[in-house]
Amino acid sequence: MRPGAPETGDPGDSAPRHDDWVPTRALGRAVLVTGALLVAAVLLGRTDLIVLALPLALSVAFALAKRPRDLPGLRLSTVESFPVEGGELGATAEVENRDVTGYDLTVVRVQHSPWLRLDDTGAQGRHVGGSRPYVTLVPRGVAAAIELAGPAVRWGRHSLGPASAYAVAADGLLVSRAVVTGALGVKVYPLTDPFKADEAMPRAAGLVGQHRSRRPGEGGELAGVRQFGPGDRLRRIDWRVSLRTERLHVAATLSDRDAEVVVLLDLLADAGRSGGIDGTASVLDRTVRAAAAIAEHYLHRGDRVSVLEYGAAARRLRPASGRRQYLTVLEWLLDAHPSPTAQERGGAQLAAGISAAALVVVLTPLLDARSAAMLAGLARSGRFVVAVDTLPEDLAVPATNNWGEVAYRLWRAERENTIGQLREHGVPVVAWAGAGTLDAVLRDVSRLASAPKATLR
Amino acid sequence: MRQLTERVRAVGRITGGPLLVRTAVFVAAFVGLVVAAPSGTLQSRLLVGLLLAAALPALAPRSIAVVGVMLAMIGLWLVDTMAFGAPVTLTRLLALAVALYLTHTAAALAAVLPYDAIVDSQVIIRWAARAVLLVTVSGGLTIALAEFLPGRHIAAPNVALVLGLAATALTIGLLTQLGRRP
């Protein structure tokens, strides 16, 4: 198989090669049997053997009277629909006959990621499942399209293709060389779990946003009425109070502030088996879907969100706000893969790159001891840290021997101990449960934030 | 064991189109063998053997089994007509010629169809139409030849033998050349 130059370029720019079409075994068989029958007929003087040879000889002669010269053209295309998990995806494999003679059939194979459940819906109109070759008739000068459609069942960057095709002509006596197209990349965005959090935010920053701050300023939340002073805007004057007191008073408001949310993805280890949108979720699936949901929620509220990776790649997405940032986060999450590393930065090192006022939401399965150490380090550095446990509840226990169950329970107990220690260090750990996951812990963190505290820097 | 599992899984994935074509291979091969076999030897044991032999090209249409079964048909025909002295009737001859050709062409189609392919029905319909057309033309020619030729056996002199062999070589050479030319 070679890259399919002929199918992408102009038909005239690729001259036919002598090995583009090769004889099949059927041709050799027809010639052999015909020859044997004719020789026997002549040697034995039997005309009935000529009669037996006649259909075979005629079929070869008729079939090879017009033999094809050009290879079939093949094109693979997809509709840019940017599906989310579970969304429908469509693709078309178009095979073209540029020859002067028709093909008996063309066999088209489209390889694709197992997470794209594409089936033929064109000719058959029925669900057959699996990645099967398609056999279609392609008369001369005609292009036949094979429509593939189906759901994309898991987030990520998936490959659609390469597609390959070979044609059969001359009643199965000649077969063409396979033409191969390149692969197409398909982006499937994670389906965001439903997520909501109340307005509690430990420390808002900036001058615009939707969170109430404790500082007076331009905003929508009424703080009280006070006497007019230099610098106050005239439209802030509360005329009713001013008339009653005969002194100018203005309505004082609290300033609206935005907040920075840092979503930290622990990608040191993965666990569980991913079954797509309808199946079980692995740690990575839960992490990515939760990160998308948290980012969507806070970006929708006007906050700034940045995303960090705790793993070998240590990728970082700068903080920003708005819908563009949401799309950037989704794109960024597509490249999240488990990336174990021997040397990982500690919490203190991570904290150096995180704003002191930011809320750090760490999505971690707590499978690696370094994850707990990182959380503790972040908390010691004075960051507002919330850990979201992304370990699936229905994790299957490997039953390798009789001690597997006991070892698993021991490991679970040790993990619970670690979570307890983290809570003692001021790091709330909550299991990911979609909407309302962070409400209780955010209230606690906000209360802690309002209290004076000494931090190690 | 792993190969056996894969084979069983492959059987489960077979689709209707390839199954139909392979069934046609089996039927054509079995009919051809039954027609060619000496009538006196058609006992149940031999029939089982013929069934097994006919199943081989259907199971492995890309293998040498197809040509083996086709040569077996010719061999049985020669044995029946020469050793057992069975008369060559036009009906039986035509039936064998059609079975021989259909075994060949159906095996040629089965060989290029992946067993798990989703096949457009037009492919099989067009293939069958071409086979019927060719069988009709060959049948017409055969009947014409039967009327034209003096008899089933030709007492050939040496010159005719050499000429016949030359014509055979020419035919085979022509067919081979048709297959090779670019």
Side-chain angles (χ1 to χ4, degrees), chain A residues 233-266:
Chain A
R233 295 189 175 187
L234 292 179
R235 66 184 179 90
R236 290 277 183 191
I237 294 173
D238 188 332
W239 292 107
R240 193 174 294 173
V241 178
S242 300
L243 283 170
R244 194 166 61 237
T245 57
E246 296 181 347
R247 284 174 185 272
L248 276 178
H249 278 75
V250 291
T253 54
L254 297 173
S255 62
D256 291 337
R257 300 297 171 101
D258 70 347
E260 184 181 337
V261 178
V262 178
V263 183
L264 183 57
L265 276 67
D266 178 4

Short mmCIF file of all heavy atoms in Angstrom, two decimals, chain A residues 233-266:
data_model
loop_
_atom_site.label_atom_id
_atom_site.label_comp_id
_atom_site.label_asym_id
_atom_site.label_seq_id
_atom_site.Cartn_x
_atom_site.Cartn_y
_atom_site.Cartn_z
N ARG A 233 -20.70 59.97 41.45
CA ARG A 233 -21.42 60.29 40.22
C ARG A 233 -22.80 60.82 40.56
O ARG A 233 -23.43 60.39 41.52
CB ARG A 233 -21.54 59.05 39.35
CG ARG A 233 -20.19 58.59 38.86
CD ARG A 233 -20.34 57.51 37.84
NE ARG A 233 -19.05 57.14 37.30
CZ ARG A 233 -18.90 56.31 36.28
NH1 ARG A 233 -19.96 55.77 35.72
NH2 ARG A 233 -17.71 56.04 35.83
N LEU A 234 -23.25 61.75 39.69
CA LEU A 234 -24.54 62.37 39.96
C LEU A 234 -25.68 61.38 39.85
O LEU A 234 -26.69 61.49 40.52
CB LEU A 234 -24.76 63.52 38.96
CG LEU A 234 -23.81 64.73 39.14
CD1 LEU A 234 -24.12 65.78 38.08
CD2 LEU A 234 -23.95 65.35 40.53
N ARG A 235 -25.49 60.39 38.93
CA ARG A 235 -26.60 59.46 38.75
C ARG A 235 -26.74 58.50 39.94
O ARG A 235 -27.71 57.76 40.03
CB ARG A 235 -26.42 58.66 37.47
CG ARG A 235 -25.25 57.73 37.43
CD ARG A 235 -25.17 57.11 36.05
NE ARG A 235 -24.02 56.20 35.94
CZ ARG A 235 -24.08 54.92 36.22
NH1 ARG A 235 -25.20 54.38 36.66
NH2 ARG A 235 -23.00 54.18 36.08
N ARG A 236 -25.78 58.57 40.85
CA ARG A 236 -25.88 57.73 42.05
C ARG A 236 -26.65 58.41 43.18
O ARG A 236 -26.85 57.85 44.25
CB ARG A 236 -24.46 57.39 42.57
CG ARG A 236 -23.70 56.45 41.67
CD ARG A 236 -24.09 55.04 41.98
NE ARG A 236 -23.33 54.09 41.19
CZ ARG A 236 -23.62 52.80 41.12
NH1 ARG A 236 -24.65 52.34 41.79
NH2 ARG A 236 -22.92 51.99 40.39
N ILE A 237 -27.00 59.67 42.98
CA ILE A 237 -27.68 60.41 44.05
C ILE A 237 -29.04 59.79 44.34
O ILE A 237 -29.81 59.51 43.42
CB ILE A 237 -27.84 61.90 43.66
CG1 ILE A 237 -26.47 62.56 43.56
CG2 ILE A 237 -28.71 62.64 44.68
CD1 ILE A 237 -26.51 63.97 43.02
N ASP A 238 -29.28 59.54 45.60
CA ASP A 238 -30.59 59.01 46.01
C ASP A 238 -31.44 60.22 46.38
O ASP A 238 -31.30 60.81 47.45
CB ASP A 238 -30.40 58.07 47.22
CG ASP A 238 -31.68 57.34 47.57
OD1 ASP A 238 -32.77 57.90 47.30
OD2 ASP A 238 -31.60 56.22 48.10
N TRP A 239 -32.31 60.65 45.44
CA TRP A 239 -33.05 61.90 45.62
C TRP A 239 -34.05 61.81 46.78
O TRP A 239 -34.28 62.79 47.48
CB TRP A 239 -33.78 62.25 44.32
CG TRP A 239 -32.79 62.62 43.22
CD1 TRP A 239 -32.46 61.88 42.15
CD2 TRP A 239 -32.00 63.80 43.16
NE1 TRP A 239 -31.51 62.50 41.39
CE2 TRP A 239 -31.20 63.72 42.00
CE3 TRP A 239 -31.88 64.95 43.99
CZ2 TRP A 239 -30.31 64.70 41.61
CZ3 TRP A 239 -30.99 65.93 43.58
CH2 TRP A 239 -30.21 65.80 42.42
N ARG A 240 -34.62 60.68 46.98
CA ARG A 240 -35.62 60.55 48.04
C ARG A 240 -34.98 60.82 49.41
O ARG A 240 -35.48 61.61 50.21
CB ARG A 240 -36.22 59.15 48.00
CG ARG A 240 -37.45 59.01 48.82
CD ARG A 240 -38.07 57.66 48.63
NE ARG A 240 -38.58 57.49 47.28
CZ ARG A 240 -39.05 56.36 46.79
NH1 ARG A 240 -39.04 55.28 47.54
NH2 ARG A 240 -39.52 56.29 45.57
N VAL A 241 -33.86 60.18 49.66
CA VAL A 241 -33.15 60.38 50.94
C VAL A 241 -32.62 61.81 51.03
O VAL A 241 -32.65 62.45 52.07
CB VAL A 241 -32.01 59.35 51.09
CG1 VAL A 241 -31.24 59.58 52.39
CG2 VAL A 241 -32.57 57.94 51.04
N SER A 242 -32.12 62.33 49.87
CA SER A 242 -31.55 63.69 49.87
C SER A 242 -32.61 64.71 50.22
O SER A 242 -32.37 65.66 51.00
CB SER A 242 -30.96 64.01 48.49
OG SER A 242 -29.95 63.08 48.17
N LEU A 243 -33.85 64.55 49.66
CA LEU A 243 -34.92 65.50 49.95
C LEU A 243 -35.33 65.43 51.42
O LEU A 243 -35.58 66.44 52.06
CB LEU A 243 -36.13 65.21 49.06
CG LEU A 243 -35.99 65.68 47.62
CD1 LEU A 243 -37.12 65.14 46.76
CD2 LEU A 243 -35.98 67.21 47.55
N ARG A 244 -35.35 64.19 51.92
CA ARG A 244 -35.80 64.03 53.31
C ARG A 244 -34.77 64.60 54.28
O ARG A 244 -35.14 65.22 55.28
CB ARG A 244 -36.01 62.54 53.58
CG ARG A 244 -36.78 62.29 54.86
CD ARG A 244 -37.28 60.86 54.98
NE ARG A 244 -36.18 59.90 55.00
CZ ARG A 244 -36.07 58.90 54.14
NH1 ARG A 244 -36.97 58.73 53.19
NH2 ARG A 244 -35.06 58.08 54.21
N THR A 245 -33.50 64.41 54.00
CA THR A 245 -32.47 64.85 54.94
C THR A 245 -31.93 66.23 54.60
O THR A 245 -31.12 66.78 55.34
CB THR A 245 -31.30 63.86 54.93
OG1 THR A 245 -30.80 63.76 53.60
CG2 THR A 245 -31.73 62.49 55.43
N GLU A 246 -32.35 66.75 53.42
CA GLU A 246 -31.87 68.04 52.91
C GLU A 246 -30.37 68.06 52.73
O GLU A 246 -29.71 69.08 52.84
CB GLU A 246 -32.31 69.17 53.83
CG GLU A 246 -33.83 69.32 53.88
CD GLU A 246 -34.28 70.45 54.77
OE1 GLU A 246 -33.44 70.95 55.54
OE2 GLU A 246 -35.44 70.82 54.70
N ARG A 247 -29.75 66.95 52.56
CA ARG A 247 -28.33 66.83 52.21
C ARG A 247 -28.22 65.79 51.10
O ARG A 247 -28.99 64.83 51.08
CB ARG A 247 -27.49 66.36 53.41
CG ARG A 247 -27.24 67.44 54.42
CD ARG A 247 -26.52 66.87 55.64
NE ARG A 247 -26.35 67.85 56.68
CZ ARG A 247 -25.31 68.65 56.74
NH1 ARG A 247 -24.35 68.56 55.86
NH2 ARG A 247 -25.22 69.54 57.72
N LEU A 248 -27.27 66.02 50.24
CA LEU A 248 -27.13 65.06 49.14
C LEU A 248 -26.63 63.72 49.65
O LEU A 248 -25.65 63.64 50.38
CB LEU A 248 -26.15 65.59 48.08
CG LEU A 248 -26.72 66.54 47.04
CD1 LEU A 248 -25.61 67.01 46.10
CD2 LEU A 248 -27.84 65.87 46.24
N HIS A 249 -27.34 62.69 49.26
CA HIS A 249 -26.91 61.33 49.61
C HIS A 249 -26.80 60.50 48.34
O HIS A 249 -27.51 60.75 47.37
CB HIS A 249 -27.92 60.68 50.56
CG HIS A 249 -27.74 61.06 51.98
ND1 HIS A 249 -28.12 62.31 52.48
CD2 HIS A 249 -27.20 60.38 53.02
CE1 HIS A 249 -27.83 62.37 53.75
NE2 HIS A 249 -27.26 61.20 54.12
N VAL A 250 -25.93 59.59 48.37
CA VAL A 250 -25.79 58.68 47.22
C VAL A 250 -25.99 57.24 47.70
O VAL A 250 -25.75 56.92 48.86
CB VAL A 250 -24.40 58.79 46.53
CG1 VAL A 250 -24.25 60.11 45.82
CG2 VAL A 250 -23.29 58.55 47.53
N ALA A 251 -26.45 56.41 46.75
CA ALA A 251 -26.59 54.97 47.03
C ALA A 251 -25.22 54.31 46.79
O ALA A 251 -24.68 54.39 45.69
CB ALA A 251 -27.63 54.36 46.11
N ALA A 252 -24.69 53.78 47.86
CA ALA A 252 -23.38 53.12 47.74
C ALA A 252 -23.58 51.66 47.36
O ALA A 252 -24.49 51.00 47.87
CB ALA A 252 -22.61 53.23 49.06
N THR A 253 -22.74 51.20 46.45
CA THR A 253 -22.83 49.78 46.02
C THR A 253 -21.48 49.10 46.26
O THR A 253 -20.45 49.75 46.40
CB THR A 253 -23.17 49.67 44.53
OG1 THR A 253 -22.22 50.44 43.79
CG2 THR A 253 -24.57 50.16 44.24
N LEU A 254 -21.56 47.79 46.31
CA LEU A 254 -20.33 46.99 46.38
C LEU A 254 -19.87 46.73 44.95
O LEU A 254 -20.68 46.53 44.05
CB LEU A 254 -20.61 45.66 47.08
CG LEU A 254 -21.06 45.77 48.54
CD1 LEU A 254 -21.47 44.38 49.06
CD2 LEU A 254 -19.94 46.34 49.40
N SER A 255 -18.58 46.70 44.78
CA SER A 255 -18.05 46.48 43.44
C SER A 255 -18.24 45.01 43.04
O SER A 255 -18.22 44.12 43.88
CB SER A 255 -16.57 46.84 43.38
OG SER A 255 -15.85 46.01 44.25
N ASP A 256 -18.45 44.81 41.76
CA ASP A 256 -18.52 43.44 41.24
C ASP A 256 -17.12 43.01 40.84
O ASP A 256 -16.38 43.75 40.22
CB ASP A 256 -19.43 43.39 40.00
CG ASP A 256 -20.88 43.62 40.39
OD1 ASP A 256 -21.19 43.37 41.57
OD2 ASP A 256 -21.65 44.04 39.52
N ARG A 257 -16.77 41.83 41.22
CA ARG A 257 -15.42 41.33 40.92
C ARG A 257 -15.51 40.01 40.18
O ARG A 257 -16.43 39.23 40.41
CB ARG A 257 -14.63 41.11 42.22
CG ARG A 257 -14.45 42.37 43.06
CD ARG A 257 -13.64 43.41 42.29
NE ARG A 257 -13.64 44.68 42.98
CZ ARG A 257 -12.63 45.10 43.72
NH1 ARG A 257 -11.59 44.33 43.89
NH2 ARG A 257 -12.67 46.27 44.30
N ASP A 258 -14.55 39.77 39.35
CA ASP A 258 -14.46 38.43 38.77
C ASP A 258 -13.43 37.64 39.55
O ASP A 258 -12.72 38.16 40.39
CB ASP A 258 -14.11 38.46 37.28
CG ASP A 258 -12.69 38.88 37.03
OD1 ASP A 258 -12.06 39.38 37.97
OD2 ASP A 258 -12.21 38.71 35.90
N ALA A 259 -13.39 36.35 39.28
CA ALA A 259 -12.47 35.49 40.01
C ALA A 259 -11.69 34.65 39.03
O ALA A 259 -12.10 34.46 37.88
CB ALA A 259 -13.25 34.59 40.95
N GLU A 260 -10.56 34.17 39.48
CA GLU A 260 -9.79 33.27 38.64
C GLU A 260 -9.93 31.86 39.18
O GLU A 260 -9.75 31.62 40.37
CB GLU A 260 -8.32 33.68 38.61
CG GLU A 260 -7.52 32.81 37.66
CD GLU A 260 -6.06 33.17 37.62
OE1 GLU A 260 -5.73 34.34 37.95
OE2 GLU A 260 -5.25 32.30 37.27
N VAL A 261 -10.27 30.96 38.31
CA VAL A 261 -10.41 29.56 38.68
C VAL A 261 -9.34 28.78 37.93
O VAL A 261 -9.22 28.91 36.71
CB VAL A 261 -11.81 29.02 38.33
CG1 VAL A 261 -11.92 27.55 38.68
CG2 VAL A 261 -12.88 29.82 39.03
N VAL A 262 -8.54 28.05 38.68
CA VAL A 262 -7.52 27.21 38.06
C VAL A 262 -7.97 25.76 38.19
O VAL A 262 -8.19 25.27 39.29
CB VAL A 262 -6.15 27.40 38.74
CG1 VAL A 262 -5.11 26.47 38.12
CG2 VAL A 262 -5.70 28.84 38.63
N VAL A 263 -8.17 25.12 37.05
CA VAL A 263 -8.55 23.70 37.06
C VAL A 263 -7.27 22.91 36.82
O VAL A 263 -6.63 23.04 35.78
CB VAL A 263 -9.60 23.39 35.98
CG1 VAL A 263 -10.02 21.93 36.05
CG2 VAL A 263 -10.80 24.30 36.13
N LEU A 264 -6.90 22.12 37.82
CA LEU A 264 -5.65 21.36 37.74
C LEU A 264 -6.00 19.89 37.52
O LEU A 264 -6.69 19.28 38.33
CB LEU A 264 -4.86 21.55 39.04
CG LEU A 264 -3.49 20.90 39.15
CD1 LEU A 264 -2.57 21.36 38.04
CD2 LEU A 264 -2.86 21.26 40.49
N LEU A 265 -5.53 19.34 36.41
CA LEU A 265 -5.83 17.95 36.07
C LEU A 265 -4.67 17.06 36.47
O LEU A 265 -3.56 17.24 35.99
CB LEU A 265 -6.05 17.82 34.56
CG LEU A 265 -7.43 18.15 34.00
CD1 LEU A 265 -7.74 19.62 34.16
CD2 LEU A 265 -7.51 17.77 32.54
N ASP A 266 -4.95 16.12 37.35
CA ASP A 266 -3.92 15.16 37.75
C ASP A 266 -3.91 14.03 36.73
O ASP A 266 -4.83 13.20 36.70
CB ASP A 266 -4.24 14.64 39.15
CG ASP A 266 -3.24 13.60 39.61
OD1 ASP A 266 -2.27 13.34 38.86
OD2 ASP A 266 -3.43 13.05 40.71
#
